[in-house]
Amino acid sequence: MKWFLRGFHILSIRGAQEEEPPDAQLMRLDNMLLAEGVSGPEKGGGSAAAAAAAAAAGGGGSDNSAEHSDYRAKLSQIRQIYHTELEKYEQACNEFTTHVMNLLREQSRTRPISPKEIERMVSIIHRKFSSIQMQLKQSTCEAVMILRSRFLDARRKRRNFNKQATEILNEYFYSHLSNPYPSEEAKEELAKKCSITVSQVSNWFGNKRIRYKKNIGKFQEEANMYAARTAANATSVSTHGSQANSPSTPNSAGSAGSFNMNSGDLFMSVQSLNGDSYQGAQVGANVQSQVDTLRHVISQTGGYSESLAASQIYSPQGINANGGWQDAPTPSSVTSPTEGPGSVHSDTSN
DNA sequence: CAAAATGATTAAAG
DNA sequence: CTTTAATCATTTTG
């Protein structure tokens, strides 16, 4: 999800022009802390740990709550630290203010001090401490975001699908190679057969399409295998068979199939240079050492990537062999010979 | 252990 | 909303 970005945007708005957003940032930080249940209702009780946190009102919720407790425990730690620090700052602010007041009062015996002057002093002091509070809030937000990404990012809980599910998906994909875009119904059907969700089916097809297109050569074996399988399945119906045409699937319009036997013409080996330009954006200097405790809480949880800012660099992917499914932005139209289904002889012994 | 595979997330475009 | 393309984080594999 995009929590971190939201938060990070707040943190790193130290841009060119001093836009001077008076309270906009602070408002957002406060809102976020509230939404996250960090700055919400105090909880003095010892045990009542069931915080609202994510009310999770959504429809298909029913998230695992077993591992959620771990998350909530950490969140609780963060909240505790946050409140402690906040209180400390407030107290320090008050102490300092009274101290300055006393000083001024003492001076007032030797020189006249206008009320305006006092007011100005107080305001300056408050502003200073406000900025410190802001830092605290920023750090807390950052901590919460890292925590969330540590526990709630589905990428961290990825499991491979079982063999059978992959079989089914591949079967569909290769038997609809000319238009591998299952309808909503088809997706539901596949999801049911594979015991996965429709979203997962969509993800799978999205990944498969792009990866197939990107390197067809890598998938040739697989394609032949599944094509042969479905062909064999279809030929059993028609007992004739003098001509081995085997249309098999009714809608195989015959384009994009492109099983070239040998003659490895398409070569687009993607030399993925891997743009590892990852840049850790240190967020502001730590005001006091106290703020660091928040980080430690997080690092105890396993240490996610310390810096979340990823500079997005667009890698110039020049090659683009239009696979031919959906209209691609670059009309280069390279190798789309629209090969016929071709004889599906299974000799290809390799 | 490093590289390949793989599922999930994101931004951008339609 | 869906899809592409890039990328992330994990799992499998050699």
Side-chain angles (χ1 to χ4, degrees), chain A residues 211-238:
Chain A
R211 281 163 185 166
Y212 179 84
K213 183 168 90 175
K214 208 153 177 87
N215 193 351
I216 294 176
K218 270 288 180 272
F219 290 90
Q220 265 177 335
E221 282 183 66
E222 202 176 57
N224 286 340
M225 188 178 145
Y226 281 99
R229 189 171 307 183
T230 57
N233 201 8
T235 45
S236 67
V237 176
S238 68

